[in-house]
Amino acid sequence: MVFSFFHNKLIRKKFIIFLIFIAPAMIFYFIELYCILDAILMSFHRWTVLSPPQYVGLKNFIKLLNDEYVHNAAVNTLKWMVVSLIASVTVPILIALLLNCKLRGETLYKVVFILPQALSGVAVGVAWTWMFSPGFGVINETLRALGLKFLIRSWIGDPSTALYACVAGSIWVSTGFYTMIYLTRLRDIPQDLLEAARVDGASPWQVFIYVTLPLMREAFAIVTTLTILSSFKAFDIVLTMTRGGPQHASEVLGLRIYIEGFELFRMGYASTISTALLLLSLVFVILYLRLILRRR
């Protein structure tokens, strides 16, 4: 049977084309899998690059539980995730609802919203650093023009706002992509369901709450999962804008891993934090997906 399958010239040709296209993805997958497994293995070792790895068992994990810098970075990462989740559920859905009204120039709006996705994290970090500049930044200049001088501050130099300034750049990048996800789902909703609700006397608000939102559950699940994962891997924007400062106020786990591995050269301990971050992200995603699937 297998021989007859490959004996067909057309099927054999399609199978070869399939292998050609999937091969790069599979190579990347196995390289990534190897790196993950190697990091997990290295988390049980003390390795300072200059000396060979030394097996230490769970000592790195015990150290992790008592490390104030890691605790601070974990709290900042959770703050990042919460703010990002709130923004990803509200701002993109509002923009998607506006675009769903078939506005003029809709294609142009889509391009404008999705453009930030093409930028690197470093470019985004530099742009938002300029925008938050206390001397000539757009944010402070806008506040000054509106007569809100009491709100002017050094956004990335203030420990109370530095983290949220970095989150703002991340939200700006992802908003367009999430908007497209919501818009696609909105346009997949059968119009007869919406019309039936209106005929039954439902107000636009009731149609949105009781008909539209329940039918967008899958879109919310996708966006929430992506937001959780992107929050846990936040790194380049923070590195560019604040380098974790001031006073570690904006330091997240991704940046802490970088500092431990490439500035302090404690590769074993950096791998331990990476492993803990991997487990933490898996727990959050699995719990959320189980919650969503249970409600279906």
Side-chain angles (χ1 to χ4, degrees), residues 178-254:
Y178 295 160
T179 298
M180 295 303 109
I181 294 176
Y182 288 136
L183 182 61
T184 302
R185 185 64 189 116
L186 278 172
R187 293 188 172 171
D188 283 342
I189 296 176
Q191 291 300 310
D192 54 347
L193 291 178
L194 303 178
E195 290 297 331
R198 296 189 188 102
V199 170
D200 289 339
S203 65
W205 176 252
Q206 290 173 324
V207 172
F208 177 69
I209 293 296
Y210 297 109
V211 180
T212 304
L213 281 185
L215 293 174
M216 294 187 65
R217 186 173 296 163
E218 290 81 4
F220 284 118
I222 293 171
V223 169
T224 302
T225 303
L226 292 175
T227 303
I228 292 173
L229 293 176
S230 65
S231 299
F232 281 122
K233 67 177 186 178
F235 166 69
D236 43 9
I237 292 179
V238 182
L239 179 66
T240 307
M241 292 182 66
T242 64
R243 290 191 65 86
Q247 303 168 13
H248 303 281
S250 61
E251 188 175 288
V252 291
L253 285 172

Side-chain angles (χ1 to χ4, degrees), residues 91-92 95 107-128 131 167-180 236-237:
V91 178
I95 299 174
T107 303
L108 177 62
Y109 294 139
K110 288 181 179 179
V111 172
V112 170
F113 284 129
I114 207 69
L115 266 179
Q117 282 286 320
L119 301 176
S120 68
V122 174
V124 172
V126 171
W128 279 83
M131 291 176 66
V167 177
S170 174
I171 292 171
W172 176 72
V173 171
S174 60
T175 294
F177 179 57
Y178 295 160
T179 298
M180 295 303 109
D236 43 9
I237 292 179

